[in-house]
Amino acid sequence: MIQIMLGEFEYLLITAAARLGDDAYGAAMREEIESTTGRRCSIGALYTTVDRLESKGFVETWMGEATAQRGGRAKRMVRVTPKGVTAAKDFYEAVIRLSIGVSWAENRTQRLA
């Protein structure tokens, strides 16, 4: 079985979508990533990555209702699939395991099961 490892930005997008739940759409995810990481996130890079995650089966998207705040335009909503949850958990656990014993992870002495 081939396991597809997420990239860093893919992980950030999946995590932002999961945190936002039913309110996950491009602008909200962008704000979540920028406020949490302190790094800029272009909307073009965000949607390119959402498309890639959707083609891998890690997220699904659909057009939400049009809103007055957006001038009558609909939002492209994002939901993490069970396959995406598994991929994000695998990525997170790999980073934690690899970090054991390095100076910036001094308090991480336990191995994950």
Side-chain angles (χ1 to χ4, degrees):
M1 179 175 171
I2 297 174
Q3 181 178 353
I4 299 171
M5 181 65 95
L6 292 174
E8 172 195 6
F9 192 58
E10 291 176 324
Y11 175 77
L12 292 175
L13 283 180
I14 287 177
T15 304
R19 285 176 62 155
L20 290 164
D22 291 340
D23 296 322
Y25 67 98
M29 292 167 57
R30 178 184 185 185
E31 184 177 315
E32 184 79 13
I33 290 167
E34 288 183 349
S35 67
T36 303
T37 66
R39 294 168 41 188
R40 298 260 313 126
C41 171
S42 79
I43 203 71
L46 185 141
Y47 278 118
T48 298
T49 305
V50 166
D51 290 341
R52 185 170 58 249
L53 290 170
E54 189 167 32
S55 71
K56 293 177 181 180
F58 295 155
V59 300
E60 55 190 20
T61 67
W62 70 98
M63 295 310 291
E65 297 295 319
T67 60
Q69 309 91 303
R70 296 176 41 83
R73 294 177 301 149
K75 295 176 184 174
R76 183 176 176 196
M77 307 303 294
V78 179
R79 179 182 303 128
V80 182
T81 65
K83 185 177 177 181
V85 170
T86 299
K89 285 175 64 176
D90 290 347
F91 179 91
Y92 177 79
E93 289 171 358
V95 169
I96 295 300
R97 281 193 304 274
L98 191 58
S99 298
I100 294 169
V102 297
S103 62
W104 57 86
E106 292 174 9
N107 296 328
R108 297 282 190 184
T109 56
Q110 283 183 258
R111 291 201 176 267
L112 295 174

